[in-house]
Amino acid sequence: MPGHIIVRQSSLSGRRAWSVQDADELLGDDITACRDMSAARREQYLKSRSLIRDIVVNELGDAWHGFQHKGQTGPPRLRDSSRSVSITHCGAHVAVAVASGVEVGIDIERTDAVFDSPSLQRRMCTPGELARAASMRPLERRRWLTRLWTVKEAYVKSRGRGLSLDLRAVDSADLPAHRRSAWVSTESVCADVALTVVWAEGGSRP
């Protein structure tokens, strides 16, 4: 992974008592997003964004201005900064990425029986990917599809599209690490959790 991208992971176990002032300082213009969230969702939201602030302030040495207001949809964007950020959660896991000069997307996912669903496989896979999945043993297929999902999800995040982009339009065979337009890094967080970071030049984010 290039030096201009920083990735951090953490656990959501344990809760911090966030004051209104703390949340306002952290989120900036995006503070309104927290108003109607459940306590658990608010903790997740604030924890992930505090990881980004730690990177920006403590590792990159930038001043902190919070986040732009994004409403209910759209990728997170830093206020008064050209750096790209991405956030992902899965159960007790949270991971974030901060990038300079490229658009970044990150996704984390637990290996789960949901990936055994033929319907889901048809919604997320190209014909070639379906054929490859069909040749695998059940557990191998489940793990491979989990990783494939994180690759696709991270890629569409890097393009600022989220799941508005049909995952079948993203062919994993077109996203090897050596391509100039997009790079992919996938790793195992633990035995049953996959994490993928995708960074792309010339992203189409708003």
Side-chain angles (χ1 to χ4, degrees), residues 60-77:
L60 298 173
D62 291 354
W64 182 252
H65 301 289
F67 292 84
Q68 297 177 19
H69 174 65
K70 70 178 185 65
Q72 297 300 311
T73 60
R77 301 297 288 179

Side-chain angles (χ1 to χ4, degrees), residues 15-190:
R15 290 194 172 186
R16 169 180 169 177
W18 292 88
S19 69
V20 174
Q21 182 178 351
D22 288 342
D24 184 66
E25 179 185 346
L26 172 64
L27 296 179
D29 294 343
D30 199 38
I31 186 64
T32 56
C34 280
R35 288 178 180 168
D36 298 323
M37 290 181 182
S38 66
R41 174 65 180 125
R42 186 181 303 112
E43 175 69 19
Q44 182 187 70
Y45 200 85
L46 294 170
K47 173 70 173 182
S48 61
R49 284 148 180 82
S50 69
L51 287 175
I52 289 178
R53 179 175 61 182
D54 288 345
I55 293 172
V56 170
V57 174
N58 299 326
E59 299 190 46
L60 298 173
D62 291 354
W64 182 252
H65 301 289
F67 292 84
Q68 297 177 19
H69 174 65
K70 70 178 185 65
Q72 297 300 311
T73 60
R77 301 297 288 179
L78 296 178
R79 184 169 174 262
D80 297 333
S81 174
S82 61
R83 298 190 192 278
S84 169
V85 300
S86 188
I87 297 169
T88 184
H89 312 90
C90 178
H93 298 280
V94 57
V96 303
V98 179
S100 302
V102 294
E103 295 291 352
V104 68
I106 190 169
D107 193 61
I108 190 170
E109 194 67 47
R110 182 180 298 278
T111 301
D112 190 88
V114 67
F115 290 103
D116 297 338
S117 164
S119 175
L120 175 61
Q121 293 171 21
R122 288 192 297 270
R123 292 199 305 272
M124 66 176 281
C125 292
T126 65
E129 291 163 348
L130 281 173
R132 181 175 177 183
S135 70
M136 298 177 180
R137 294 182 177 181
L139 182 56
E140 179 189 12
R141 178 167 56 246
R142 184 186 296 178
R143 288 173 174 164
W144 183 76
L145 287 168
T146 301
R147 285 179 173 267
L148 181 65
W149 177 275
T150 65
V151 168
K152 294 190 176 207
E153 175 80 347
Y155 175 76
V156 296
K157 284 182 177 181
S158 76
R159 312 308 289 186
R161 299 288 298 277
L163 289 180
S164 65
L165 181 65
D166 187 343
L167 295 184
R168 292 169 297 184
V170 180
D171 191 336
S172 59
D174 289 338
L175 298 174
H178 67 269
R179 272 190 63 136
R180 212 171 149 249
S181 60
W183 290 259
V184 180
S185 175
T186 303
E187 61 182 83
S188 294
V189 175
C190 56

